[in-house]
Amino acid sequence: MNTTPIELSGCAIIEDDKVLLLHKPKDSHYEFPGGKVREEETIEEAAIREVKEELGVDVKLVEKFSVIEFSYNGKYLRGSLFFAKITSGEPHITEPTVFDHLIWMPIMEYEKYMLAPNVKEFCIKYITTK
């Protein structure tokens, strides 16, 4: 088995205690904007690129929130998550074959939503450290 993880990187964009999430109908859940890190880029560059590709906005990374390692569908993954702020543009779905809508989810109401495991974990940590 390959023990080198597939690197992922994404962003938690928060305004007024609401986090911007994308709904992925294939997995029936909400997730952070993000994706695979390409060979020639850093995790920071990947996070910025993925947000631009998925939401059509430019972001500035504020700080690194976490790195988690996990298995999904038999693959070993390592995901980096950054707090980010939108610097230009209005978020909208730019990959309609992957995502069907976006929401600004009130973090305190996370239990009302079907979330990717890392999003749920993020909400719990965010609430308990606030």
Side-chain angles (χ1 to χ4, degrees), residues 1-17:
M1 182 177 133
N2 187 356
T3 55
T4 303
I6 297 168
E7 293 285 346
L8 305 173
S9 193
C11 291
I13 301 167
I14 298 172
E15 292 181 10
D16 302 321
D17 285 328

Side-chain angles (χ1 to χ4, degrees), residues 33 40 57-59 69 71 89 95 99 119 128:
E40 72 281 357
V57 295
D58 294 308
V59 293
E69 295 188 6
S71 293
E95 296 179 346
F99 305 106
V119 177
T128 57

Side-chain angles (χ1 to χ4, degrees), residues 25-98:
K26 178 180 157 236
D27 295 324
S28 300
H29 69 210
Y30 289 95
E31 61 183 50
F32 293 115
K36 286 184 187 169
V37 178
R38 294 177 180 161
E39 251 182 62
E40 72 281 357
E41 68 187 354
T42 65
I43 56 174
E44 292 84 1
E45 290 167 341
I48 292 167
R49 174 184 52 76
E50 285 286 346
V51 172
K52 181 73 168 182
E53 288 176 3
E54 295 176 355
L55 292 170
V57 295
D58 294 308
V59 293
K60 174 184 169 205
L61 303 183
V62 178
E63 68 178 287
K64 191 177 211 175
F65 176 75
S66 67
V67 177
I68 60 165
E69 295 188 6
F70 59 101
S71 293
Y72 184 72
N73 288 343
K75 294 178 182 161
Y76 178 44
L77 307 163
R78 179 171 38 226
S80 297
L81 184 65
F82 295 89
F83 282 114
K85 294 270 183 226
I86 295 172
T87 56
S88 70
E90 191 62 39
H92 61 282
I93 298 294
T94 58
E95 296 179 346
T97 58
V98 181

Side-chain angles (χ1 to χ4, degrees), residues 93-107:
I93 298 294
T94 58
E95 296 179 346
T97 58
V98 181
F99 305 106
D100 60 1
H101 66 276
L102 60 84
I103 60 167
W104 285 96
M105 182 194 76
I107 296 171

